[in-house]
Amino acid sequence: TLNATASRNAGRGWAAWQGNRQVAAWNPDVRSPSLSVTKSIAALATSRAVSEGWMSSSELVANTITEWRGDSRKSRITVLMLLQQVSGLEAGVIPLYRNHPSDKGAAAVALRCVDTPGTVFRYGPSHWEVLAELMKRKLSERRMSLATFMGRAVMNPIGLYQGNWRSDSQDTPYFSTGTELSVTELGRLGKIISRLLHGDSTKGFNPIRFAEVCRPSTTNPMFGGGLWRNTRASRPGVSSIQVERSIDDPKSSSFWRNACLSTRQPSGLVALIGSGGRRVYLWPGSDKRIARLGSSTSWNDSAFLGRLAQ
């Protein structure tokens, strides 16, 4: 059953929806850090900034982060490269997480660019914390903090609780991780993203702008803007992968071109993925979604999605 499958592997709560109707649930009010699901919230914020006209997905980051202007690699990084995680920056796990920087933006800006921008998908917080620093600087010119903007533009319209969001001592929220949400709130987030992917405007978000900032790269056609896509599921030779086990070290472009979330699910499936089995699965074409909170690295997307297809 769905309940038995979703509850395995240290599950804490889950729920399923068809349209606006919750069709099944177990502990839907349980709260937990959503970890990398936060990235999709950052993408929503970026799409809002693009819609408001003070940011562009194609702009050079160095236009605002002027410290990068003299660097031959960093000066080529665009906002979209950050959202696709192909900026070339080192992952930055130790400087940004384990060293607990008081100013994570400064720590992110100082990271090395180890790949030619646009050529390697490298998973890590670096891209997202540079994005946060970029938005913070742009917003300061508008006399607004990043935390205030996130509340106004994203969290409040969707109905997500902003408290307990991990921040540095500058009160700048982490974009790569850090929100704490309930299963019900994950469902609200999924509903907004699903409607946008279906081409519908909702809660002030523009589907064209959202598609722009979540466009996958040719380097990794599975990922863009915090969304993992099943786009290539029906292609010959493609196999399902465990995303959490495939991102520690950079993989070749051919690896990502021959990968999907599940060969037994439609190509329109999209997933928001956080460590330990934190998931939001979306089927925009049929307006279905499933949200889950868990805390086990043994969670298996392919197995779960395969059982749903039975």
mmCIF file of all heavy atoms in Angstrom, residues 13-62:
data_model
loop_
_atom_site.group_PDB
_atom_site.id
_atom_site.type_symbol
_atom_site.label_atom_id
_atom_site.label_comp_id
_atom_site.label_asym_id
_atom_site.label_seq_id
_atom_site.Cartn_x
_atom_site.Cartn_y
_atom_site.Cartn_z
ATOM 1 N N GLY A 13 6.314 11.385 7.974
ATOM 2 C CA GLY A 13 4.983 11.806 7.578
ATOM 3 C C GLY A 13 4.902 11.926 6.067
ATOM 4 O O GLY A 13 5.921 12.105 5.400
ATOM 5 N N TRP A 14 3.699 11.814 5.527
ATOM 6 C CA TRP A 14 3.515 11.950 4.077
ATOM 7 C C TRP A 14 2.055 12.292 3.784
ATOM 8 O O TRP A 14 1.182 12.150 4.643
ATOM 9 C CB TRP A 14 3.920 10.674 3.346
ATOM 10 C CG TRP A 14 3.035 9.497 3.651
ATOM 11 C CD1 TRP A 14 3.197 8.587 4.661
ATOM 12 C CD2 TRP A 14 1.822 9.128 2.972
ATOM 13 N NE1 TRP A 14 2.164 7.685 4.652
ATOM 14 C CE2 TRP A 14 1.314 7.982 3.623
ATOM 15 C CE3 TRP A 14 1.128 9.661 1.896
ATOM 16 C CZ2 TRP A 14 0.148 7.360 3.226
ATOM 17 C CZ3 TRP A 14 -0.047 9.042 1.481
ATOM 18 C CH2 TRP A 14 -0.517 7.900 2.152
ATOM 19 N N ALA A 15 1.807 12.738 2.588
ATOM 20 C CA ALA A 15 0.436 13.000 2.151
ATOM 21 C C ALA A 15 0.392 12.985 0.633
ATOM 22 O O ALA A 15 1.409 13.212 -0.044
ATOM 23 C CB ALA A 15 -0.076 14.339 2.677
ATOM 24 N N ALA A 16 -0.783 12.706 0.104
ATOM 25 C CA ALA A 16 -1.001 12.687 -1.344
ATOM 26 C C ALA A 16 -2.223 13.525 -1.674
ATOM 27 O O ALA A 16 -3.208 13.526 -0.915
ATOM 28 C CB ALA A 16 -1.185 11.256 -1.835
ATOM 29 N N TRP A 17 -2.152 14.236 -2.794
ATOM 30 C CA TRP A 17 -3.244 15.119 -3.220
ATOM 31 C C TRP A 17 -3.605 14.863 -4.682
ATOM 32 O O TRP A 17 -2.728 14.544 -5.505
ATOM 33 C CB TRP A 17 -2.848 16.583 -3.091
ATOM 34 C CG TRP A 17 -2.571 17.065 -1.707
ATOM 35 C CD1 TRP A 17 -3.447 17.698 -0.850
ATOM 36 C CD2 TRP A 17 -1.321 16.996 -1.006
ATOM 37 N NE1 TRP A 17 -2.812 18.020 0.326
ATOM 38 C CE2 TRP A 17 -1.514 17.599 0.266
ATOM 39 C CE3 TRP A 17 -0.066 16.465 -1.321
ATOM 40 C CZ2 TRP A 17 -0.491 17.692 1.205
ATOM 41 C CZ3 TRP A 17 0.951 16.545 -0.386
ATOM 42 C CH2 TRP A 17 0.737 17.154 0.874
ATOM 43 N N GLN A 18 -4.855 15.024 -4.972
ATOM 44 C CA GLN A 18 -5.354 15.090 -6.338
ATOM 45 C C GLN A 18 -6.051 16.423 -6.479
ATOM 46 O O GLN A 18 -7.095 16.656 -5.855
ATOM 47 C CB GLN A 18 -6.324 13.961 -6.624
ATOM 48 C CG GLN A 18 -6.998 14.042 -7.993
ATOM 49 C CD GLN A 18 -6.035 13.757 -9.134
ATOM 50 O OE1 GLN A 18 -5.502 12.666 -9.245
ATOM 51 N NE2 GLN A 18 -5.814 14.755 -9.989
ATOM 52 N N GLY A 19 -5.436 17.340 -7.214
ATOM 53 C CA GLY A 19 -5.964 18.692 -7.275
ATOM 54 C C GLY A 19 -5.899 19.338 -5.902
ATOM 55 O O GLY A 19 -4.871 19.305 -5.230
ATOM 56 N N ASN A 20 -7.013 19.888 -5.452
ATOM 57 C CA ASN A 20 -7.058 20.525 -4.134
ATOM 58 C C ASN A 20 -7.425 19.547 -3.016
ATOM 59 O O ASN A 20 -7.455 19.936 -1.846
ATOM 60 C CB ASN A 20 -8.072 21.672 -4.144
ATOM 61 C CG ASN A 20 -7.646 22.809 -5.052
ATOM 62 O OD1 ASN A 20 -6.468 23.119 -5.157
ATOM 63 N ND2 ASN A 20 -8.617 23.422 -5.717
ATOM 64 N N ARG A 21 -7.676 18.306 -3.360
ATOM 65 C CA ARG A 21 -8.172 17.336 -2.385
ATOM 66 C C ARG A 21 -7.050 16.442 -1.873
ATOM 67 O O ARG A 21 -6.330 15.824 -2.656
ATOM 68 C CB ARG A 21 -9.271 16.488 -3.025
ATOM 69 C CG ARG A 21 -9.962 15.516 -2.058
ATOM 70 C CD ARG A 21 -11.181 14.905 -2.716
ATOM 71 N NE ARG A 21 -10.803 14.099 -3.869
ATOM 72 C CZ ARG A 21 -10.598 12.774 -3.808
ATOM 73 N NH1 ARG A 21 -10.717 12.130 -2.659
ATOM 74 N NH2 ARG A 21 -10.285 12.110 -4.896
ATOM 75 N N GLN A 22 -6.894 16.389 -0.562
ATOM 76 C CA GLN A 22 -5.949 15.446 0.040
ATOM 77 C C GLN A 22 -6.614 14.076 0.063
ATOM 78 O O GLN A 22 -7.661 13.897 0.675
ATOM 79 C CB GLN A 22 -5.589 15.882 1.457
ATOM 80 C CG GLN A 22 -4.588 14.969 2.146
ATOM 81 C CD GLN A 22 -4.207 15.482 3.525
ATOM 82 O OE1 GLN A 22 -3.469 16.436 3.667
ATOM 83 N NE2 GLN A 22 -4.750 14.839 4.551
ATOM 84 N N VAL A 23 -6.001 13.109 -0.607
ATOM 85 C CA VAL A 23 -6.639 11.800 -0.752
ATOM 86 C C VAL A 23 -6.113 10.777 0.249
ATOM 87 O O VAL A 23 -6.769 9.749 0.489
ATOM 88 C CB VAL A 23 -6.467 11.268 -2.192
ATOM 89 C CG1 VAL A 23 -7.185 12.179 -3.179
ATOM 90 C CG2 VAL A 23 -4.988 11.138 -2.566
ATOM 91 N N ALA A 24 -4.950 11.016 0.823
ATOM 92 C CA ALA A 24 -4.391 10.103 1.816
ATOM 93 C C ALA A 24 -3.305 10.830 2.577
ATOM 94 O O ALA A 24 -2.667 11.754 2.050
ATOM 95 C CB ALA A 24 -3.827 8.845 1.151
ATOM 96 N N ALA A 25 -3.082 10.423 3.833
ATOM 97 C CA ALA A 25 -2.047 11.091 4.617
ATOM 98 C C ALA A 25 -1.714 10.282 5.862
ATOM 99 O O ALA A 25 -2.525 9.488 6.357
ATOM 100 C CB ALA A 25 -2.498 12.494 5.023
ATOM 101 N N TRP A 26 -0.516 10.522 6.363
ATOM 102 C CA TRP A 26 -0.057 9.980 7.642
ATOM 103 C C TRP A 26 0.866 11.026 8.280
ATOM 104 O O TRP A 26 1.852 11.422 7.681
ATOM 105 C CB TRP A 26 0.701 8.666 7.437
ATOM 106 C CG TRP A 26 1.380 8.150 8.677
ATOM 107 C CD1 TRP A 26 0.786 7.726 9.822
ATOM 108 C CD2 TRP A 26 2.800 8.021 8.877
ATOM 109 N NE1 TRP A 26 1.738 7.333 10.735
ATOM 110 C CE2 TRP A 26 2.979 7.498 10.186
ATOM 111 C CE3 TRP A 26 3.916 8.283 8.083
ATOM 112 C CZ2 TRP A 26 4.244 7.247 10.719
ATOM 113 C CZ3 TRP A 26 5.176 8.029 8.612
ATOM 114 C CH2 TRP A 26 5.324 7.517 9.914
ATOM 115 N N ASN A 27 0.491 11.535 9.429
ATOM 116 C CA ASN A 27 1.249 12.583 10.117
ATOM 117 C C ASN A 27 1.525 13.793 9.218
ATOM 118 O O ASN A 27 2.673 14.257 9.125
ATOM 119 C CB ASN A 27 2.584 12.037 10.649
ATOM 120 C CG ASN A 27 2.406 11.078 11.797
ATOM 121 O OD1 ASN A 27 1.349 11.029 12.423
ATOM 122 N ND2 ASN A 27 3.443 10.300 12.090
ATOM 123 N N PRO A 28 0.526 14.358 8.564
ATOM 124 C CA PRO A 28 0.793 15.461 7.623
ATOM 125 C C PRO A 28 1.255 16.752 8.283
ATOM 126 O O PRO A 28 1.777 17.625 7.598
ATOM 127 C CB PRO A 28 -0.556 15.658 6.928
ATOM 128 C CG PRO A 28 -1.567 15.183 7.928
ATOM 129 C CD PRO A 28 -0.915 14.012 8.613
ATOM 130 N N ASP A 29 1.061 16.881 9.603
ATOM 131 C CA ASP A 29 1.460 18.113 10.289
ATOM 132 C C ASP A 29 2.868 18.039 10.881
ATOM 133 O O ASP A 29 3.336 19.016 11.479
ATOM 134 C CB ASP A 29 0.464 18.448 11.397
ATOM 135 C CG ASP A 29 -0.926 18.755 10.852
ATOM 136 O OD1 ASP A 29 -1.004 19.364 9.764
ATOM 137 O OD2 ASP A 29 -1.915 18.375 11.497
ATOM 138 N N VAL A 30 3.542 16.906 10.719
ATOM 139 C CA VAL A 30 4.894 16.789 11.249
ATOM 140 C C VAL A 30 5.815 17.762 10.526
ATOM 141 O O VAL A 30 5.677 17.993 9.325
ATOM 142 C CB VAL A 30 5.418 15.335 11.112
ATOM 143 C CG1 VAL A 30 5.647 14.959 9.646
ATOM 144 C CG2 VAL A 30 6.702 15.138 11.916
ATOM 145 N N ARG A 31 6.732 18.391 11.286
ATOM 146 C CA ARG A 31 7.644 19.380 10.711
ATOM 147 C C ARG A 31 9.073 18.846 10.762
ATOM 148 O O ARG A 31 9.440 18.098 11.671
ATOM 149 C CB ARG A 31 7.592 20.699 11.481
ATOM 150 C CG ARG A 31 6.227 21.341 11.524
ATOM 151 C CD ARG A 31 6.299 22.710 12.183
ATOM 152 N NE ARG A 31 7.074 23.621 11.350
ATOM 153 C CZ ARG A 31 6.572 24.279 10.309
ATOM 154 N NH1 ARG A 31 5.318 24.138 9.977
ATOM 155 N NH2 ARG A 31 7.331 25.096 9.605
ATOM 156 N N SER A 32 9.871 19.278 9.799
ATOM 157 C CA SER A 32 11.264 18.833 9.733
ATOM 158 C C SER A 32 12.020 19.753 8.791
ATOM 159 O O SER A 32 11.418 20.361 7.897
ATOM 160 C CB SER A 32 11.321 17.389 9.209
ATOM 161 O OG SER A 32 12.651 16.991 8.954
ATOM 162 N N PRO A 33 13.340 19.895 8.965
ATOM 163 C CA PRO A 33 14.125 20.610 7.949
ATOM 164 C C PRO A 33 13.904 19.966 6.576
ATOM 165 O O PRO A 33 13.972 18.747 6.442
ATOM 166 C CB PRO A 33 15.569 20.423 8.434
ATOM 167 C CG PRO A 33 15.451 20.237 9.909
ATOM 168 C CD PRO A 33 14.187 19.456 10.094
ATOM 169 N N SER A 34 13.637 20.783 5.589
ATOM 170 C CA SER A 34 13.385 20.251 4.246
ATOM 171 C C SER A 34 14.653 20.134 3.419
ATOM 172 O O SER A 34 14.628 19.640 2.294
ATOM 173 C CB SER A 34 12.359 21.124 3.518
ATOM 174 O OG SER A 34 12.869 22.427 3.307
ATOM 175 N N LEU A 35 15.768 20.625 3.971
ATOM 176 C CA LEU A 35 17.096 20.521 3.352
ATOM 177 C C LEU A 35 17.063 21.038 1.909
ATOM 178 O O LEU A 35 16.664 22.149 1.662
ATOM 179 C CB LEU A 35 17.621 19.101 3.484
ATOM 180 C CG LEU A 35 17.710 18.590 4.941
ATOM 181 C CD1 LEU A 35 18.309 17.196 5.002
ATOM 182 C CD2 LEU A 35 18.488 19.545 5.828
ATOM 183 N N SER A 36 17.476 20.240 0.934
ATOM 184 C CA SER A 36 17.654 20.773 -0.424
ATOM 185 C C SER A 36 16.359 21.085 -1.161
ATOM 186 O O SER A 36 16.405 21.663 -2.252
ATOM 187 C CB SER A 36 18.506 19.811 -1.261
ATOM 188 O OG SER A 36 19.856 19.891 -0.876
ATOM 189 N N VAL A 37 15.210 20.736 -0.590
ATOM 190 C CA VAL A 37 13.953 21.204 -1.168
ATOM 191 C C VAL A 37 13.926 22.730 -1.167
ATOM 192 O O VAL A 37 13.255 23.364 -1.991
ATOM 193 C CB VAL A 37 12.758 20.617 -0.387
ATOM 194 C CG1 VAL A 37 11.443 21.217 -0.862
ATOM 195 C CG2 VAL A 37 12.716 19.096 -0.540
ATOM 196 N N THR A 38 14.709 23.329 -0.261
ATOM 197 C CA THR A 38 14.833 24.784 -0.182
ATOM 198 C C THR A 38 15.249 25.396 -1.519
ATOM 199 O O THR A 38 14.885 26.539 -1.837
ATOM 200 C CB THR A 38 15.863 25.165 0.898
ATOM 201 O OG1 THR A 38 15.522 24.501 2.124
ATOM 202 C CG2 THR A 38 15.914 26.665 1.133
ATOM 203 N N LYS A 39 16.024 24.674 -2.301
ATOM 204 C CA LYS A 39 16.511 25.204 -3.584
ATOM 205 C C LYS A 39 15.365 25.612 -4.500
ATOM 206 O O LYS A 39 15.462 26.595 -5.235
ATOM 207 C CB LYS A 39 17.412 24.167 -4.271
ATOM 208 C CG LYS A 39 18.714 23.873 -3.540
ATOM 209 C CD LYS A 39 19.518 22.787 -4.262
ATOM 210 C CE LYS A 39 20.896 22.586 -3.645
ATOM 211 N NZ LYS A 39 20.872 22.058 -2.286
ATOM 212 N N SER A 40 14.274 24.867 -4.473
ATOM 213 C CA SER A 40 13.144 25.220 -5.330
ATOM 214 C C SER A 40 12.481 26.515 -4.864
ATOM 215 O O SER A 40 11.940 27.270 -5.682
ATOM 216 C CB SER A 40 12.120 24.078 -5.347
ATOM 217 O OG SER A 40 11.576 23.855 -4.056
ATOM 218 N N ILE A 41 12.538 26.787 -3.558
ATOM 219 C CA ILE A 41 12.010 28.050 -3.038
ATOM 220 C C ILE A 41 12.877 29.206 -3.520
ATOM 221 O O ILE A 41 12.374 30.275 -3.869
ATOM 222 C CB ILE A 41 11.936 27.991 -1.499
ATOM 223 C CG1 ILE A 41 10.996 26.869 -1.054
ATOM 224 C CG2 ILE A 41 11.482 29.328 -0.927
ATOM 225 C CD1 ILE A 41 10.945 26.653 0.444
ATOM 226 N N ALA A 42 14.194 28.993 -3.556
ATOM 227 C CA ALA A 42 15.101 30.010 -4.087
ATOM 228 C C ALA A 42 14.823 30.280 -5.562
ATOM 229 O O ALA A 42 14.899 31.425 -6.020
ATOM 230 C CB ALA A 42 16.553 29.566 -3.898
ATOM 231 N N ALA A 43 14.478 29.232 -6.305
ATOM 232 C CA ALA A 43 14.142 29.422 -7.721
ATOM 233 C C ALA A 43 12.860 30.232 -7.875
ATOM 234 O O ALA A 43 12.763 31.087 -8.765
ATOM 235 C CB ALA A 43 14.005 28.064 -8.412
ATOM 236 N N LEU A 44 11.885 29.984 -7.017
ATOM 237 C CA LEU A 44 10.661 30.791 -7.046
ATOM 238 C C LEU A 44 10.976 32.253 -6.768
ATOM 239 O O LEU A 44 10.434 33.152 -7.419
ATOM 240 C CB LEU A 44 9.665 30.260 -6.010
ATOM 241 C CG LEU A 44 8.900 28.990 -6.376
ATOM 242 C CD1 LEU A 44 8.202 28.420 -5.147
ATOM 243 C CD2 LEU A 44 7.884 29.264 -7.481
ATOM 244 N N ALA A 45 11.861 32.493 -5.801
ATOM 245 C CA ALA A 45 12.256 33.871 -5.485
ATOM 246 C C ALA A 45 12.932 34.531 -6.678
ATOM 247 O O ALA A 45 12.692 35.707 -6.977
ATOM 248 C CB ALA A 45 13.187 33.880 -4.278
ATOM 249 N N THR A 46 13.768 33.777 -7.367
ATOM 250 C CA THR A 46 14.458 34.318 -8.541
ATOM 251 C C THR A 46 13.459 34.653 -9.642
ATOM 252 O O THR A 46 13.567 35.699 -10.298
ATOM 253 C CB THR A 46 15.505 33.312 -9.059
ATOM 254 O OG1 THR A 46 16.404 32.967 -8.003
ATOM 255 C CG2 THR A 46 16.299 33.909 -10.209
ATOM 256 N N SER A 47 12.479 33.771 -9.837
ATOM 257 C CA SER A 47 11.480 34.042 -10.879
ATOM 258 C C SER A 47 10.681 35.300 -10.550
ATOM 259 O O SER A 47 10.321 36.069 -11.441
ATOM 260 C CB SER A 47 10.546 32.838 -11.052
ATOM 261 O OG SER A 47 9.621 32.724 -9.990
ATOM 262 N N ARG A 48 10.431 35.511 -9.259
ATOM 263 C CA ARG A 48 9.715 36.728 -8.850
ATOM 264 C C ARG A 48 10.566 37.971 -9.128
ATOM 265 O O ARG A 48 10.068 38.986 -9.619
ATOM 266 C CB ARG A 48 9.382 36.657 -7.362
ATOM 267 C CG ARG A 48 8.657 37.868 -6.832
ATOM 268 C CD ARG A 48 7.182 37.849 -7.183
ATOM 269 N NE ARG A 48 6.450 37.025 -6.232
ATOM 270 C CZ ARG A 48 5.128 36.939 -6.187
ATOM 271 N NH1 ARG A 48 4.394 37.622 -7.046
ATOM 272 N NH2 ARG A 48 4.515 36.165 -5.315
ATOM 273 N N ALA A 49 11.866 37.876 -8.822
ATOM 274 C CA ALA A 49 12.767 38.998 -9.075
ATOM 275 C C ALA A 49 12.842 39.313 -10.565
ATOM 276 O O ALA A 49 12.864 40.485 -10.967
ATOM 277 C CB ALA A 49 14.159 38.677 -8.533
ATOM 278 N N VAL A 50 12.863 38.266 -11.394
ATOM 279 C CA VAL A 50 12.891 38.467 -12.843
ATOM 280 C C VAL A 50 11.598 39.131 -13.300
ATOM 281 O O VAL A 50 11.603 40.054 -14.123
ATOM 282 C CB VAL A 50 13.124 37.124 -13.572
ATOM 283 C CG1 VAL A 50 12.961 37.292 -15.078
ATOM 284 C CG2 VAL A 50 14.520 36.573 -13.252
ATOM 285 N N SER A 51 10.463 38.683 -12.760
ATOM 286 C CA SER A 51 9.167 39.274 -13.120
ATOM 287 C C SER A 51 9.085 40.737 -12.723
ATOM 288 O O SER A 51 8.470 41.550 -13.420
ATOM 289 C CB SER A 51 8.028 38.498 -12.454
ATOM 290 O OG SER A 51 7.928 37.192 -12.966
ATOM 291 N N GLU A 52 9.709 41.073 -11.577
ATOM 292 C CA GLU A 52 9.682 42.458 -11.099
ATOM 293 C C GLU A 52 10.690 43.337 -11.830
ATOM 294 O O GLU A 52 10.687 44.563 -11.646
ATOM 295 C CB GLU A 52 9.945 42.486 -9.588
ATOM 296 C CG GLU A 52 8.809 41.871 -8.779
ATOM 297 C CD GLU A 52 9.074 41.879 -7.279
ATOM 298 O OE1 GLU A 52 10.148 42.374 -6.857
ATOM 299 O OE2 GLU A 52 8.197 41.405 -6.529
ATOM 300 N N GLY A 53 11.556 42.739 -12.635
ATOM 301 C CA GLY A 53 12.437 43.502 -13.501
ATOM 302 C C GLY A 53 13.779 43.906 -12.932
ATOM 303 O O GLY A 53 14.508 44.658 -13.574
ATOM 304 N N TRP A 54 14.140 43.423 -11.759
ATOM 305 C CA TRP A 54 15.436 43.814 -11.194
ATOM 306 C C TRP A 54 16.468 42.697 -11.220
ATOM 307 O O TRP A 54 17.540 42.814 -10.645
ATOM 308 C CB TRP A 54 15.268 44.374 -9.780
ATOM 309 C CG TRP A 54 14.528 43.524 -8.789
ATOM 310 C CD1 TRP A 54 13.182 43.506 -8.564
ATOM 311 C CD2 TRP A 54 15.093 42.596 -7.868
ATOM 312 N NE1 TRP A 54 12.880 42.623 -7.563
ATOM 313 C CE2 TRP A 54 14.034 42.055 -7.111
ATOM 314 C CE3 TRP A 54 16.407 42.180 -7.594
ATOM 315 C CZ2 TRP A 54 14.224 41.106 -6.103
ATOM 316 C CZ3 TRP A 54 16.594 41.234 -6.593
ATOM 317 C CH2 TRP A 54 15.516 40.702 -5.867
ATOM 318 N N MET A 55 16.159 41.625 -11.938
ATOM 319 C CA MET A 55 17.121 40.551 -12.141
ATOM 320 C C MET A 55 16.819 39.871 -13.457
ATOM 321 O O MET A 55 15.668 39.838 -13.905
ATOM 322 C CB MET A 55 17.080 39.538 -10.986
ATOM 323 C CG MET A 55 18.094 38.406 -11.125
ATOM 324 S SD MET A 55 18.067 37.252 -9.719
ATOM 325 C CE MET A 55 18.944 38.207 -8.504
ATOM 326 N N SER A 56 17.855 39.314 -14.083
ATOM 327 C CA SER A 56 17.691 38.563 -15.318
ATOM 328 C C SER A 56 18.449 37.249 -15.192
ATOM 329 O O SER A 56 19.533 37.202 -14.604
ATOM 330 C CB SER A 56 18.227 39.358 -16.511
ATOM 331 O OG SER A 56 18.405 38.530 -17.640
ATOM 332 N N SER A 57 17.880 36.181 -15.732
ATOM 333 C CA SER A 57 18.563 34.892 -15.664
ATOM 334 C C SER A 57 19.846 34.882 -16.480
ATOM 335 O O SER A 57 20.760 34.101 -16.210
ATOM 336 C CB SER A 57 17.633 33.775 -16.147
ATOM 337 O OG SER A 57 17.306 33.946 -17.516
ATOM 338 N N SER A 58 19.930 35.766 -17.465
ATOM 339 C CA SER A 58 21.106 35.787 -18.333
ATOM 340 C C SER A 58 22.176 36.785 -17.885
ATOM 341 O O SER A 58 23.252 36.857 -18.484
ATOM 342 C CB SER A 58 20.692 36.117 -19.771
ATOM 343 O OG SER A 58 20.085 37.395 -19.838
ATOM 344 N N GLU A 59 21.897 37.551 -16.837
ATOM 345 C CA GLU A 59 22.870 38.571 -16.433
ATOM 346 C C GLU A 59 24.126 37.948 -15.833
ATOM 347 O O GLU A 59 24.092 36.859 -15.235
ATOM 348 C CB GLU A 59 22.249 39.546 -15.446
ATOM 349 C CG GLU A 59 22.029 39.005 -14.044
ATOM 350 C CD GLU A 59 21.444 40.052 -13.109
ATOM 351 O OE1 GLU A 59 20.223 40.304 -13.182
ATOM 352 O OE2 GLU A 59 22.211 40.613 -12.321
ATOM 353 N N LEU A 60 25.237 38.653 -16.004
ATOM 354 C CA LEU A 60 26.495 38.230 -15.412
ATOM 355 C C LEU A 60 26.491 38.579 -13.927
ATOM 356 O O LEU A 60 26.199 39.708 -13.546
ATOM 357 C CB LEU A 60 27.663 38.908 -16.111
ATOM 358 C CG LEU A 60 27.912 38.517 -17.577
ATOM 359 C CD1 LEU A 60 28.967 39.432 -18.191
ATOM 360 C CD2 LEU A 60 28.343 37.058 -17.684
ATOM 361 N N VAL A 61 26.830 37.591 -13.116
ATOM 362 C CA VAL A 61 26.866 37.807 -11.669
ATOM 363 C C VAL A 61 27.867 38.902 -11.314
ATOM 364 O O VAL A 61 27.661 39.692 -10.391
ATOM 365 C CB VAL A 61 27.205 36.491 -10.951
ATOM 366 C CG1 VAL A 61 27.335 36.694 -9.450
ATOM 367 C CG2 VAL A 61 26.134 35.433 -11.252
ATOM 368 N N ALA A 62 28.954 38.979 -12.076
ATOM 369 C CA ALA A 62 30.016 39.948 -11.798
ATOM 370 C C ALA A 62 29.561 41.389 -11.987
ATOM 371 O O ALA A 62 30.239 42.318 -11.514
ATOM 372 C CB ALA A 62 31.233 39.664 -12.678
#
